[in-house]
Amino acid sequence: MKGRTLGRHFRESLKSISRNGWMTFASVSAVTVTLLLVGVFVMIMMNLNKVADDLERDVEIKVYVELTADETAITKLEQEIKETAGVAEATYSPKGDELKKLVVDFGEDLQLFEQQNPLHNVFYAKASNPQETQAVAEKLERLDNTFEVKYGEGKIEKLFTFLNTGRNVGIVLILALLFTAMFLISNTIRITIVARRRDIEIMKLVGATNWFIRIPFILEGMWLGILGAIIPITLVTLLYYNIYKVLAPKLEQGNLFQLLEFSPFIYQVNGLILLMGVLIGIWGSFMSVRKFLRV
Amino acid sequence: MIEMINVYKKYPNGIVAANGIDVKIEQGDFVYVVGPSGAGKTTFIKMMYREERPTSGDILINGINLATLKNSKVPHLRRQIGVVFQDFKLLPRLSVYENVAFALEVIEETPKVIRQKVMDVLELVGLKSKARMFPTELSGGEQQRVSIARSIVNTPKLVIADEPTGNLDPETSWEIMNIFEEINARGTTIIMATHNREIVNTIRHRVIAVEGGLITRDEYGGEYGYEG
């Protein structure tokens, strides 16, 4: 194929978009509605996933050091904890600090204990994969000079089960939505092409090859996808911008979890919306033309 | 030159539309194909531009055997043949100019040559002033002239017309026939299926009568030969 023919196909596809008026409008509307749904949904799901990750990251293993352990034993234990497979980080908190925390949380009365501190020295460890917290905790329990290891057993397992179910449900919902979107859009495009079935027959009679007929239709599908992505991209961007502006500062104070940063995230979502629009448009017209080329 | 050798065509529904046709058409001939409806006229015509493939036998057009021609080569065959239909078969969303230009775009002609050739051929059929109009804005006769312009813009050696005057009033039909005469005078072979008795009897050319899938009559300067 010569370069000018490709140019001709581009011009032809754009001409077809404008001359098909209502058919273009119908296809673009279908694309717009579905992409908007997908966009908003992906936005919600990815943020929920972020929240889940943040919650998981907050899970800590608390290693109580044996009261009898001296300084060298504690240094040795710290070394061992950090070298244990699956431990991401570990920080030491001497019993004096532990007491201060209690004083802050429960009041001045506890200051009495400063004379005779009954608390243990403590290591706070985090598993590099939060889902493996239990296994890591069991390993740490086996080390010398550990008095007790706690990680919120029971509660943690429930949280993880809940988060995992949430993630799986999200993935299934996104897939279902994508499938519906593809079905809906390709069907609309198919209707617009069925209306031009006669055109395809005529083109073949005049000596057009299959690719000569196909390419303008495929390009037209691509334009429909791009046009249909404009409104979803605008709305999703505005929506997330405002949500982020209101919620992010408040969540900052809570320090428990955060929304995804506006800047890279919104480009990723918009890129995804545009890519989906284009792919679905191309796929829809390719499948529909294929049917009528067997004349 | 066109040659059909023992051509036999049976449709899947059992109808035999060609039952052993042998015929030779020389370059530059003007041929009327006549006969009652359902006698195999349209099949005869359709096999020549490979819309239908013969069940057995050979069809040779300028040395190409259509009976064995691959599907992928069909577009190349069609570029060497101009086809005109009773229902014009114009692309409704394209202007007159674009409809004619389409036949040149498929052979990847340069824009300059396309403009030149399209305007020349539109002048020949007398539609130069309507180049920017769309098919629906034209009368039947004008649409048929666009269709003829499209069929000859690529200067094919053969033009096939399936009842080109079937949808037109008598006066317009004569105008269309004048254009075909002019094309034929330039050395182009014309094969025309028709029901128009008056035309066949007035502008005398070779007449091939098809009945029951067989050629029952083949004479130069013959008459239409059917009532009404």
Side-chain angles (χ1 to χ4, degrees):
Chain A
M1 183 172 43
K2 292 176 185 168
R4 63 165 167 275
T5 305
L6 194 62
R8 178 252 175 216
H9 289 326
F10 262 101
R11 280 195 305 280
E12 214 57 34
S13 64
L14 288 171
K15 232 190 266 174
S16 193
I17 289 274
S18 64
R19 285 186 191 167
N20 278 311
W22 283 105
M23 283 300 193
T24 299
F25 181 76
S27 305
V28 170
S29 310
V31 176
T32 300
V33 171
T34 36
L35 285 184
L36 191 61
L37 270 173
V38 172
V40 169
F41 200 74
V42 165
M43 197 172 84
I44 293 171
M45 282 317 296
M46 288 190 56
N47 269 299
L48 284 182
N49 193 40
K50 171 75 162 50
V51 168
D53 282 347
D54 286 355
L55 286 179
E56 279 182 354
R57 214 161 289 137
D58 285 337
V59 172
E60 275 178 336
I61 304 169
K62 201 172 179 183
V63 183
Y64 294 87
V65 182
E66 201 73 70
L67 287 170
T68 54
D70 56 11
E71 291 246 341
T72 43
I74 290 171
T75 321
K76 188 170 162 264
L77 180 60
E78 180 168 17
Q79 199 62 31
E80 281 170 349
I81 289 175
K82 282 180 176 167
E83 277 168 6
T84 305
V87 173
E89 50 171 322
T91 48
Y92 179 61
S93 168
K95 57 184 178 184
D97 290 357
E98 288 297 293
L99 183 61
K100 278 179 200 152
K101 280 188 210 163
L102 285 181
V103 172
V104 170
D105 288 345
F106 296 105
E108 307 266 310
D109 293 351
L110 291 173
Q111 273 174 347
L112 292 173
F113 286 108
E114 272 175 20
Q115 314 305 320
Q116 186 74 46
N117 188 339
L119 298 172
H120 291 255
N121 295 316
V122 168
F123 282 103
Y124 291 99
K126 280 189 180 178
S128 41
N129 179 2
Q131 304 263 354
E132 281 168 11
T133 300
Q134 191 189 357
V136 172
E138 277 166 11
K139 272 190 219 157
L140 295 181
E141 205 153 25
R142 267 179 253 124
L143 297 174
D144 288 338
N145 290 316
T146 57
F147 172 72
E148 198 177 14
V149 173
K150 285 199 168 162
Y151 62 93
E153 47 272 75
K155 279 182 229 154
I156 292 296
E157 280 85 357
K158 265 184 206 155
L159 176 70
F160 285 166
T161 321
F162 177 73
L163 293 180
N164 286 341
T165 318
R167 282 198 186 101
N168 291 338
V169 169
I171 290 169
V172 169
L173 282 179
I174 284 190
L175 286 179
L177 198 58
L178 276 178
F179 188 75
T180 320
M182 283 179 86
F183 183 76
L184 184 67
I185 293 170
S186 68
N187 251 356
T188 317
I189 292 175
R190 178 166 302 177
I191 291 165
T192 71
I193 292 181
V194 168
R196 284 189 276 169
R197 176 185 206 146
R198 216 180 98 89
D199 293 14
I200 294 174
E201 268 177 49
I202 295 171
M203 291 176 192
K204 292 208 78 174
L205 286 173
V206 182
T209 57
N210 284 351
W211 278 109
F212 193 90
I213 298 170
R214 208 180 271 143
I215 292 173
F217 276 111
I218 290 173
L219 291 175
E220 196 178 333
M222 185 185 80
W223 297 130
L224 294 178
I226 292 174
L227 285 177
I230 292 174
I231 294 179
I233 284 177
T234 318
L235 285 183
V236 163
T237 307
L238 282 176
L239 189 68
Y240 197 65
Y241 178 77
N242 284 304
I243 289 176
Y244 191 79
K245 209 169 75 176
V246 173
L247 280 186
K250 288 182 183 161
L251 291 173
E252 199 86 53
Q253 295 163 0
N255 209 14
L256 197 55
F257 52 81
Q258 240 323 326
L259 293 179
L260 287 158
E261 293 274 344
F262 179 77
S263 167
F265 174 63
I266 203 68
Y267 295 120
Q268 289 160 0
V269 171
N270 287 344
L272 184 77
I273 292 174
L274 187 66
L275 186 75
M276 267 190 52
V278 168
L279 286 182
I280 291 174
I282 288 176
W283 183 76
S285 38
F286 184 84
M287 296 307 283
S288 315
V289 176
R290 205 179 65 150
K291 229 173 115 188
F292 300 119
L293 280 175
R294 303 196 201 103
V295 179
Chain B
M1 201 194 62
I2 302 160
E3 195 172 2
M4 285 195 177
I5 305 158
N6 200 19
V7 171
Y8 179 83
K9 172 75 186 178
K10 187 178 183 178
Y11 284 102
N13 62 11
I15 289 171
V16 177
N19 202 358
I21 290 181
D22 281 292
V23 71
K24 242 186 204 182
I25 297 167
E26 300 294 336
Q27 182 59 41
D29 266 7
F30 195 129
V31 182
Y32 293 120
V33 181
V34 302
S37 302
K41 229 175 15 193
T42 299
T43 302
F44 180 80
I45 292 267
K46 277 186 173 172
M47 283 193 296
M48 277 188 223
Y49 58 91
R50 188 45 170 69
E51 178 78 357
E52 294 293 346
R53 204 199 270 266
T55 313
S56 69
D58 293 314
I59 302 172
L60 299 164
I61 295 186
N62 299 327
I64 305 166
N65 192 344
L66 304 202
T68 57
L69 189 71
K70 281 190 204 152
N71 277 334
S72 58
K73 295 285 174 206
V74 170
H76 302 275
L77 168 82
R78 299 222 172 120
R79 293 168 192 178
Q80 297 171 36
I81 303 172
V83 190
V84 178
F85 300 91
Q86 180 171 9
D87 58 353
F88 322 132
K89 293 209 192 293
L90 297 173
L91 295 164
R93 285 168 200 83
L94 300 189
S95 70
V96 167
Y97 179 93
E98 289 162 344
N99 261 287
V100 179
F102 190 85
L104 294 175
E105 283 170 354
V106 298
I107 58 171
E108 305 195 41
E109 197 53 274
T110 64
K112 203 178 152 197
V113 173
I114 291 178
R115 206 172 306 126
Q116 186 62 45
K117 283 191 173 177
V118 172
M119 288 324 276
D120 283 354
V121 80
L122 283 179
E123 184 157 28
L124 176 76
V125 298
L127 283 175
K128 208 173 173 179
S129 60
K130 299 196 172 175
R132 283 171 182 277
M133 295 178 95
F134 286 85
T136 46
E137 299 170 320
L138 302 177
S139 71
E142 286 168 333
Q143 289 186 51
Q144 190 58 296
R145 281 191 270 162
V146 176
S147 156
I148 294 170
R150 182 181 62 190
S151 75
I152 60 170
V153 70
N154 192 20
T155 53
K157 290 197 175 114
L158 168 65
V159 171
I160 296 168
D162 193 3
E163 308 212 21
T165 61
N167 282 354
L168 305 175
D169 60 61
E171 203 180 319
T172 316
S173 299
W174 288 113
E175 284 171 28
I176 295 296
M177 286 311 295
N178 285 338
I179 296 171
F180 277 117
E181 283 291 303
E182 204 172 324
I183 297 165
N184 182 234
R186 297 175 175 193
T188 307
T189 311
I190 291 181
I191 298 173
M192 184 187 294
T194 186
H195 275 129
N196 196 317
R197 186 168 187 256
E198 210 180 326
I199 284 173
V200 176
N201 288 345
T202 310
I203 309 174
R204 293 288 176 122
H205 287 296
R206 180 178 176 185
V207 175
I208 292 176
V210 179
E211 268 178 76
L214 284 168
I215 294 183
T216 53
R217 180 163 59 96
D218 184 355
E219 52 178 335
Y220 283 86
E223 290 205 353
Y224 181 69
Y226 296 96
E227 289 307 314

